[in-house]
Amino acid sequence: MDENNLENDVKEVKPKTFNEYVLAPESQKDDYNVTMFVTRNTNNEITSFETEVIFYYTKVSAGVIEKHIDIYDDTLLEEAVIHEGNEGDYYKIDPKSFTGFDLVESQLPDNAEGYMSVSAVVVKYYYVRKTQLIVKHIDIQTNTEIPNTRITVNNHRNDSYTTTGKTI
């Protein structure tokens, strides 16, 4: 090695792998944080040099688990989705539309948006099944529906309702 010219002195340095950690984006660039310290004497001769290579790591997140659930029987309306990432990664989980269901607006999750942590984050959206109440008025003599008396009410599962007979 020519002590006055270090241009051709190449050493390959690779990052190590650790449980629970991955290389941070800053360390995945080709020009990742290399610093060379060279000390020369008064004759411009190298008396020492040190090269420092820094790799940055971040912890792997257990992820964000997205669930869409029927509020009355806790069944999943679709299979849970796991969003993978690293600690500190931003996430945002939006509600979805499901045929025959409405989103329960009073129970929106507080953690639908945020930053991943090492432990898993579970985001739960609750939905209620739509129902339809149909009230028919039947003529007891003919066992037929009395015209123009049908009432249709759009409800949700377990909604209460009251109905009374009709004076015709």
Side-chain angles (χ1 to χ4, degrees):
M1 171 176 78
D2 179 358
E3 290 185 348
N4 292 317
N5 184 356
L6 299 175
E7 287 181 39
N8 296 321
D9 186 22
V10 176
K11 301 278 189 220
E12 185 175 350
V13 179
K14 294 184 178 182
K16 292 185 177 185
T17 55
F18 300 98
N19 288 342
E20 301 175 13
Y21 285 89
V22 294
L23 275 177
E26 295 81 9
S27 292
Q28 295 176 9
K29 300 174 187 170
D30 290 337
D31 61 346
Y32 51 80
N33 306 306
V34 177
T35 307
M36 182 179 283
F37 302 97
V38 178
T39 308
R40 297 178 182 266
N41 63 18
T42 56
N43 295 330
N44 203 27
E45 298 169 326
I46 296 176
T47 56
S48 70
F49 73 88
E50 178 182 312
T51 302
E52 182 180 80
V53 179
I54 301 173
F55 294 105
Y56 292 96
Y57 293 83
T58 186
K59 288 188 174 184
V60 177
S61 171
V64 177
I65 302 167
E66 175 182 349
K67 293 184 175 184
H68 300 273
I69 305 167
D70 182 319
I71 195 164
Y72 286 108
D73 61 18
D74 284 333
T75 57
L76 292 175
L77 301 181
E78 69 175 15
E79 191 172 320
V81 176
I82 299 174
H83 301 271
E84 297 178 343
N86 299 316
E87 180 181 33
D89 288 353
Y90 174 78
Y91 72 89
K92 182 177 182 197
I93 309 297
D94 292 317
K96 294 184 176 181
S97 294
F98 295 96
T99 302
F101 286 87
D102 282 332
L103 178 67
V104 179
E105 299 279 345
S106 64
Q107 293 199 24
L108 296 177
D110 293 333
N111 62 349
E113 180 175 0
Y115 294 91
M116 291 185 181
S117 63
V118 174
S119 56
V121 175
V122 181
V123 177
K124 296 178 182 179
Y125 280 100
Y126 290 96
Y127 301 82
V128 62
R129 182 177 299 281
K130 295 177 187 179
T131 61
Q132 192 174 64
L133 171 67
I134 299 172
V135 179
K136 297 179 182 180
H137 297 89
I138 306 295
D139 181 328
I140 197 164
Q141 303 296 324
T142 63
N143 199 30
T144 58
E145 187 174 348
I146 300 171
N148 302 319
T149 61
R150 180 179 289 201
I151 300 170
T152 302
V153 179
N154 292 319
N155 278 346
H156 292 103
R157 180 177 173 186
N158 290 354
D159 281 357
S160 61
Y161 65 91
T162 311
T163 187
T164 58
K166 189 168 185 155
T167 305
I168 301 175

